[in-house]
Amino acid sequence: MSIWSVAMARMRSALTRSPAPGGAAPARQLPARGDAWVNSYTGLGRTDTIRKLLRSNAIARKIAQKQVLLAWGSGLTWSVTGGGDDAEKLLSDELLRLDLRSKVQKARYLGRAFGGALLLLSIDDGLDPSDPLDLGRVRRLLYIRPLDRWDVARVELDTSGGVRDGEPEYYTISTGSTRVRVHHSRVVRFTGIDGDRVTEAQLGGWGDSVLQPVYESIRDIDSGGQSLSAQLQTAVQSVYKIKGLHE
C-alpha cells in the first residue's frame, strides 16, 4: 500500500499542529497572489483565463508547449553504475512503468503555463509525506504525478535562518476533499518566468506564466482575425441587378 495513501488521514491533524515548546518557529504562509490576470470585477482569475487560452488558442498553447518539446527533441539517455548485468534493463523498465518522460514534460508545461507546478514523488520510505525524504530507507518510487500550482493550497516557508531560509519548506496539496502536507524533498518544483523579489511575493512565491507578457498581443491577434473575417464576408457579397426593375 502506498505510504501516501496511508498518511492522508494523519495529515489533516498535521495541518493545525503547533510546534513543541522551544522548537522551531512556525513556517510562514505565503500571501494570496494578485497579478494582472485577476479581474476584481468579474471574479475571473488567471486559472480560468489560462485554461481557456490553452484549450482554444493555438498560439498560446504553442508558446507554453514548444520549449518543452524542444528540450526533449534529442531523446533521453542514461547510464547505470553497479547493480548487476541486468541493471540497465531494470531501470529502463521502471522508467516505462512510471511514464517518466510524459510526466516530466507535463509538469514543465504546467509550470510554464501557470507560472508554477510540482512533480509529486510518491516514495515508499516508511515515513509521512510531511517528513523529509530519507534516501537510506527508500524501498520504491510508487508513482509520480504532475500538479499545477493551483493544486497547491498552501506554501510554508523555511524560517530556520539556514541556507534555505525563505524557500518553500512544505506544500499543502489539495486532492479533492483531502489536503496533504508534503515536505519539499518529496517534490520537484517547476516555475515559469522568474521575477524580482517583490513580484514573486505578490505571486505567492511562484513565477509568472509565459503567457503573461504576450497576453495583449494574443488578444490583439484574435481581435484582428475576427475583424478581418467579418470584412471578408462583406467584401465578397454578390449583387444581382435586373435592368428596368424600378420602372
Side-chain angles (χ1 to χ4, degrees), residues 77-184:
T77 59
W78 60 84
S79 60
V80 180
T81 303
D85 296 336
D86 60 343
E88 187 167 340
K89 182 180 184 304
L90 291 175
L91 176 60
S92 177
D93 293 342
E94 189 68 6
L95 295 179
L96 289 175
R97 180 187 71 82
L98 294 170
D99 196 15
L100 178 69
R101 175 169 179 164
S102 65
K103 297 294 178 61
V104 174
Q105 284 182 327
K106 185 174 182 179
R108 181 58 183 142
Y109 168 69
L110 294 175
R112 286 173 55 80
F114 293 97
L118 297 178
L119 190 63
L120 175 65
L121 310 177
S122 180
I123 301 175
D124 183 6
D125 61 352
L127 301 174
D128 285 344
S130 60
D131 294 327
L133 177 64
D134 187 346
L135 293 176
R137 301 180 56 170
V138 173
R139 293 189 284 266
R140 193 182 185 192
L141 175 57
L142 301 173
Y143 60 83
I144 56 180
R145 180 172 300 164
L147 304 166
D148 69 59
R149 57 90 59 229
W150 294 102
D151 293 317
V152 181
R154 184 184 182 192
V155 180
E156 299 171 60
L157 302 181
D158 188 310
T159 58
S160 64
V163 294
R164 283 189 50 82
D165 186 73
E167 296 292 327
E169 183 72 9
Y170 297 99
Y171 298 92
T172 299
I173 298 174
S174 178
T175 56
S177 60
T178 305
R179 291 188 173 187
V180 183
R181 190 166 179 254
V182 183
H183 191 262
H184 71 87

